[in-house]
Amino acid sequence: MAKLIARDGKEGAMQVCETKEELRKQRAAMTGRVGLVPTMGYLHDGHLSLVRAAREQCDHVIATIFVNPTQFGPTEDLDSYPRDADRDLALLRAEGVDAVFLPTPAQMYARDAETIVEATDLSRVLMGRLRPGHFRGVATVVTKLLNIAQPDAAFFGQKDYQQLCVIRRVVRDLDIPVAIHGIPTVREADGLAMSSRNVRLDTGQRAAAPALFAALQAGQAAIAEGRTIATARARMRTVLSQADGADIRSIDIRDAEDLSSVTGRPTRPVVLLLAVRFGDVLLIDNIVASPKEP
Ligand code: PAF
């Protein structure tokens, strides 16, 4: 049976693969269930919760660190997106990850690459309206990572709820043989969802940012009380309008399963989604709410 051999010759140590070929070789040496945790790096406890879920459910874990240029718009924060590969590798090593894929953009995309993957409808609603092309970039890179790593299961955060819906749809539509797991959002003590972008908030913005979770909880309570979508949305807006510097980009309430529009009093679980800008930092968060039993 093939064994995982580290560059230093030690069996079982974490492999760092910079090319697709190296990763494929490592993958071929893995037996049992393989879990994939795709990330853009600058890891926090939210990412590590994905790694831990993968470790619990799989025999081997592959993590990827790649700040994917194709999911950033021309005016977005690709260049300023935080990066710290050495720290990330130390964290992944401590979590017992077997292999890390750390490609360059040139390694991932041929210069004349022209093939894209897109869940056409799901990608154009909600955040897709604010970030045209974003979910096409995500769907394309995730499909490539699944093809390269060939995992049995892949783990994504529920914090990026629409991304999770898009990835599930792509995997279903393209018959990709992988189980997709959505892992609950990890929050700071004050409720702010963990995100690599949080480090870019200044002190005042950081103090105001927990208003996202407070607004989501207010909306969730309204739905649980049997109120309408309009009332839940108004309550969320009221909470956010009291947060210093919060520029509300979107407040949406959609069917939790397929993100379709919902009006009046919901009869099935809904997802409440927020996008709020503090300065040039766009924060997103969501919560699922179940309506009162009739
Ligand atoms: O959620 C992320 O970090 C990214 O969108 C992903 C899934 C790694 C694709 O680049």
Side-chain angles (χ1 to χ4, degrees), residues 117-118 139 143 168-177:
V117 178
E118 185 167 29
T143 303
R168 286 191 199 284
R169 186 65 57 92
V170 166
V171 162
R172 186 202 70 181
D173 290 352
L174 297 183
D175 300 307
I176 303 176

Side-chain angles (χ1 to χ4, degrees), residues 128-141:
R129 278 196 324 259
L130 294 180
R131 304 184 69 187
H134 170 69
F135 289 113
R136 185 171 57 219
V138 170
T140 303
V141 80

